[in-house]
């Protein structure tokens, strides 16, 4: 990622009594949230999540925040606060703990339980946990934390107030203001108001839906739609949703119970997370509803419900395999109903429609966001954000969690309510709060950190460019042997192509021009093999471009013998 603020330089030393805020991910994208707060030489981190790769990042498993700028200071970190259990907030934590395993982890019961299973998968054991709940106060070094209940698309989400000598920061985390949520746990606006009375110096607010006017509909508004889908289905029902959306799963379990169907979970993360949520009391499974997938298959189709992962079209997920009819035990049949009860995250459209088409081809009825109200967002819309600004009355606002368009829309809302100082920052842009005023102080290096198999941070943007060229154009290799005594081509060029229409060509028309160009270059005194390889590259590159209109990757090899 090229830095959006080339004019900024490294920040000056933080003045005594000032608070420094450095977003290392999540500002400029929806994903990999991570923000570092610095006061009096000590650091506090809020969230440490992942971003999922898009089509132009082939082969990448995950993208992490770039904590290179604090790598040498991890011993100064007092704690890592996790606002809720979504992957874009907790997913990178195992990678951070690999660098310092005893960073104290602070979060709600469900958040830390979901994180705990992830840490065990990464074989990280000796971690330090502090379970907190709304209303709790806990101090780490110079940071006095207070937690506030917020409503979101996962239970047990928290906002956090951070008090330091520089003033009070209120970070909403991800939130919305559903007034009648399934679990009755609403965003605590009374606490927001109390903190506002005390004086919020810097308010970090979720920008995701700032462009959406009005209010995010209540979670309960999709209950009748789910009920209708159940009523109309005469065969099996497959529901796909996020493996952390406990309330959505709750609605499906309740509908199954009401319609005398039984439910099985499909997909490892769904089984694991719903097990955790049930054990901790966040998911209420009606008696007799849940069965093992193997037992479900023994029931008649009109008694079956599957709740599956894969609502974003992830190629390896259960739903994708079902759509391709290569799932181990779920065979999609004509008359089945598939309910995609999820959002469509930007960048995933192609993958999701591929799955929908795959399911429809086998005769399934697919109900999704595009044709029914089967999903509501987990984030506050513009109307809710306006309420928050009016209730909190912050001195300074820093929009977080969104692409630049979302953050700018959020900034406009803050200004509309009379907030005088709104700071726009993207990943790596340093914001200092000094004497009650927040301002951009500089930038730190902050790129993408790619996870590819077991490698973390080794794959660069230029490697990805190579992958894209290979993926779209294939490659051509040219091997030539030059006699080091005579300076003449003694063997080759031997040319091979793969992944393009040139595969199998004899390349006769380009072999002589390559030999001629090499002879000329050597006669002019260019005998260095790197230079000769560039000569080969130019000749064949021009030839492919002129005759085939392609630009494959070219791998020239000149051997002196
Ligand atoms: Zn979230
Ligand atoms: Zn999020």
């Amino acid at each position: 990622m090229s830095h959006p603020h080339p004019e900024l330089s490294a920040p000056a030393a933080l003045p005594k009594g000032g608070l420094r805020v450095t977003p290392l991910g999540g500002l400029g994208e929806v994903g990999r949230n991570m923000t570092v707060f610095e006061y009096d030489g000590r650091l506090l981190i809020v969230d440490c999540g992942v971003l999922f790769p898009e089509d132009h990042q082939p082969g990448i498993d995950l993208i992490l925040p770039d904590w290179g700028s604090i790598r040498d200071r991890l011993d100064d970190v007092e704690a890592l606060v996790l606002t809720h259990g979504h992957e874009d907030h907790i997913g990178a934590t195992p990678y951070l703990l690999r660098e310092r395993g005893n960073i104290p982890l602070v979060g709600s019961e469900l958040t830390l339980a979901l994180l705990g299973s992830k840490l065990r998968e990464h074989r990280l054991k000796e971690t330090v946990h502090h379970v907190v709940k709304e209303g709790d106060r806990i101090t780490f070094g110079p940071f006095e934390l207070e937690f506030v209940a917020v409503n979101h698309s996962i239970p047990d989400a928290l906002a956090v107030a951070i008090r330091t000598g520089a003033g009070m920061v209120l970070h909403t985390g991800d939130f919305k203001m559903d007034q009648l949520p399934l679990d009755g746990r609403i965003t605590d606006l009374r606490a927001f108001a109390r903190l506002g009375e005390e004086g919020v110096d810097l308010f970090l607010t979720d920008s995701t839906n700032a462009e959406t006017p009005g209010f995010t509909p209540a979670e309960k508004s999709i209950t009748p739609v789910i009920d209708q889908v159940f009523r109309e289905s005469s065969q099996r029902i497959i529901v796909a949703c996020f493996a952390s959306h406990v309330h959505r799963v709750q609605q499906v379990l309740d509908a199954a119970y009401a319609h005398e169907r039984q439910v099985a979970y499909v997909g490892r993360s769904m089984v694991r997370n719903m097990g955790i949520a049930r054990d901790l009391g966040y998911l209420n499974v009606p008696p007799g509803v849940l069965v093992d997938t193997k037992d479900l298959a023994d029931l008649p189709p009109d008694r079956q419900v599957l709740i599956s992962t894969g609502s974003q079209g992830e190629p390896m997920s259960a739903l994708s395999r079902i759509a391709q009819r290569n799932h181990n035990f779920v065979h999609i049949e004509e008359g089945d109903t598939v309910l995609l009860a999820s959002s469509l995250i930007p960048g995933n459209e192609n993958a999701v429609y591929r799955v929908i088409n795959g399911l429809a081809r086998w005769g399934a009825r697919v109900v999704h966001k595009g044709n029914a109200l089967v999903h509501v967002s987990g984030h506050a819309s513009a109307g809710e954000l306006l309420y928050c600004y009016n209730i909190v009355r912050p001195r300074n606002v820093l929009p977080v969690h969104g692409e630049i368009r979302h953050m700018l829309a959020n900034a406009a809302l803050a200004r509309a309510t009379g907030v005088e100082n709104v700071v726009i920052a993207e990943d790596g842009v340093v914001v200092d709060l000094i004497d009650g005023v927040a301002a951009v102080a500089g930038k730190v290096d902050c790129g993408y950190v790619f996870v590819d198999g077991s490698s973390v941070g080794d794959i660069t943007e230029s490697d990805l460019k190579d992958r894209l060229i290979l993926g779209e154009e294939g490659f051509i290799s040219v091997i030539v042997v030059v006699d080091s005594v005579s300076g003449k081509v003694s063997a080759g060029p031997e040319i091979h192509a793969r992944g393009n229409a040139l595969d199998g060509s004899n390349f006769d028309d380009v072999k002589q021009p390559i030999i001629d160009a090499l002879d000329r270059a050597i006669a002019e005194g260019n005998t260095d093999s790197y230079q000769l390889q560039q000569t080969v590259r130019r000749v064949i590159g021009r030839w492919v471009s002129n005759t085939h209109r392609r630009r494959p990757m070219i791998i020239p090899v000149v051997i002196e013998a």
Side-chain angles (χ1 to χ4, degrees):
M1 183 180 65
S2 58
H3 206 284
H5 296 279
E7 76 285 2
L8 294 175
S9 51
L14 178 65
K16 193 148 180 56
L19 176 76
R20 175 159 288 177
V21 185
T22 309
L24 298 179
L27 275 69
E29 64 223 335
V30 176
R32 62 167 196 154
N33 294 283
M34 180 174 186
T35 305
V36 181
F37 295 86
E38 175 176 0
Y39 183 80
D40 200 15
R42 307 300 293 170
L43 304 177
L44 177 82
I45 302 174
V46 174
D47 289 331
C48 188
V50 292
L51 174 68
F52 293 100
E54 294 183 23
D55 287 350
H56 63 273
Q57 294 154 331
I60 297 301
D61 300 322
L62 295 169
I63 304 169
L64 309 182
D66 182 355
W67 53 78
S69 61
I70 58 162
R71 180 158 282 125
D72 295 341
R73 298 190 57 197
L74 289 182
D75 286 331
D76 297 337
V77 175
E78 293 282 354
L80 167 57
V81 174
L82 301 152
T83 57
H84 63 284
H86 278 155
E87 286 297 318
D88 61 321
H89 296 258
I90 66 170
T93 306
Y95 299 92
L96 183 67
L97 294 184
R98 276 192 206 168
E99 299 188 26
R100 186 189 145 201
N102 62 351
I103 295 175
L105 306 172
V106 187
S108 69
E109 183 185 43
L110 181 64
T111 304
L112 291 186
L114 293 171
L115 176 63
S117 71
K118 186 178 291 295
L119 297 180
R120 280 190 293 280
E121 278 176 15
H122 282 255
R123 299 183 198 290
L124 287 156
K125 289 193 193 103
E126 308 291 315
T127 54
V128 188
H129 285 208
H130 295 270
V131 176
V132 292
K133 60 179 185 312
E134 47 268 40
D136 283 358
R137 288 176 175 233
I138 183 169
T139 297
F140 292 92
F143 304 99
E144 293 173 28
L145 311 182
E146 178 181 342
F147 296 92
V148 179
V150 287
N151 171 245
H152 183 41
S153 46
I154 187 169
D156 226 8
L158 292 169
V160 58
I162 306 165
R163 291 183 181 85
T164 66
M168 193 215 300
V169 174
L170 178 57
H171 189 319
T172 63
D174 292 6
F175 84 110
K176 60 176 171 175
M177 284 166 36
D178 191 340
Q179 294 301 299
L180 297 168
L182 257 61
D183 61 0
R185 185 176 177 274
I186 56 173
T187 292
D188 188 355
L189 294 178
R190 290 160 54 111
F192 275 24
R194 176 174 52 77
L195 294 167
E197 282 296 319
E198 184 184 328
V200 171
D201 296 288
L202 181 61
F203 194 23
L204 278 64
T205 49
D206 176 0
S207 307
T208 317
N209 277 353
E211 287 186 314
T212 310
F215 291 76
T216 302
E219 194 70 34
K220 276 183 182 160
S221 61
I222 66 173
T223 307
V225 185
I226 293 178
D227 191 63
Q228 189 185 350
V229 169
F230 271 71
R231 243 184 297 118
E232 290 170 359
S233 299
S234 55
Q235 300 281 329
R236 186 169 41 183
I237 299 173
I238 301 172
V239 182
C241 70
F242 282 119
S244 58
H245 207 320
V246 177
H247 292 154
R248 196 60 48 78
V249 171
Q250 182 73 60
Q251 287 177 303
V252 176
L253 291 175
D254 292 344
Y257 185 66
H259 292 269
E260 296 174 357
R261 285 175 179 254
Q262 288 189 297
V263 178
Y265 300 134
V266 190
R268 201 165 52 100
S269 52
M270 186 67 76
V271 173
R272 184 190 61 202
N273 290 355
M274 291 310 140
I276 291 170
R278 182 187 193 172
D279 290 348
L280 295 177
Y282 294 93
L283 183 71
N284 184 1
V285 181
V289 162
L290 206 57
V291 293
D292 206 75
T293 33
K294 291 189 291 289
D295 301 327
L296 192 78
D298 297 336
L299 297 171
D302 64 353
R303 291 278 159 268
Q304 297 183 24
V305 179
L306 292 151
I307 303 181
S308 158
T309 55
S311 63
Q312 296 304 308
E314 306 91 317
M316 298 309 290
S317 69
L319 193 67
S320 281
R321 283 182 281 137
I322 291 170
Q324 291 164 36
R325 266 200 182 163
N326 64 9
H327 193 273
N328 283 349
F329 46 84
V330 184
H331 200 256
I332 191 83
E333 300 288 355
E334 184 157 3
D336 286 348
T337 300
V338 181
L339 180 61
L340 287 165
S342 57
S343 61
L344 186 44
I345 293 178
N348 296 345
E349 291 89 346
N350 291 345
V352 170
Y353 287 116
R354 203 175 299 137
V355 169
I356 291 176
N357 282 322
L359 295 163
R361 189 171 292 126
W362 304 116
R365 176 189 172 215
V366 187
V367 182
H368 57 94
K369 197 170 168 269
N371 59 21
L373 180 64
V374 287
H375 175 72
V376 295
S377 170
H379 299 270
S381 299
E384 290 148 271
L385 292 168
L386 289 173
Y387 264 83
C388 283
Y389 291 128
N390 283 330
I391 288 169
V392 174
R393 297 235 145 255
R395 291 207 180 89
N396 303 272
V397 164
L398 174 63
V400 299
H401 204 284
E403 297 175 6
I404 185 75
R405 62 194 170 101
H406 305 129
M407 297 194 295
L408 290 170
N410 195 358
L413 295 170
R415 283 195 201 96
T417 67
V419 177
E420 276 174 21
N421 190 28
V422 183
V423 181
I424 291 288
E426 290 178 87
D427 296 342
V429 171
V430 178
V431 176
D432 285 354
L433 178 69
I434 296 168
D435 296 331
V437 179
V440 171
K443 71 166 182 195
V444 296
D445 285 336
C446 189
Y448 283 137
V449 176
F450 297 111
V451 178
D452 182 357
S454 60
S455 102
V456 180
D458 298 328
I459 298 289
T460 62
E461 303 259 338
S462 109
D463 293 326
L464 285 188
K465 268 191 202 127
D466 284 351
R467 284 186 185 178
L468 287 176
I469 294 170
L470 282 168
E472 286 168 12
E473 303 274 347
F475 77 89
I476 293 183
S477 69
V478 184
I479 301 169
V480 190
V481 182
V482 174
D483 187 310
S484 54
V485 179
S486 69
K488 294 276 173 210
V489 172
S490 60
E494 191 163 321
I495 306 176
H496 295 280
R498 270 296 166 83
N500 50 45
L502 296 159
D503 192 354
S505 304
N506 61 16
F507 300 101
D508 282 344
D509 4 327
V510 72
K511 284 181 179 170
Q512 196 55 47
I514 290 175
I515 294 170
D516 295 345
L518 284 173
D519 284 347
R520 249 190 334 271
I522 293 165
E524 285 165 11
N526 296 326
T527 52
D528 172 69
S529 63
Y530 176 79
Q531 284 182 1
L532 295 178
Q533 283 168 12
Q534 298 315 307
T535 302
V536 174
R537 179 196 300 277
R538 278 195 298 277
V539 176
I540 188 136
R542 215 160 34 227
W543 176 79
V544 183
S545 168
N546 289 341
T547 56
H548 295 275
R549 306 274 164 234
R550 305 306 324 164
R551 296 198 173 276
M553 177 175 288
I554 295 167
I555 304 170
V557 181
V558 174
I559 301 164
E560 289 181 71

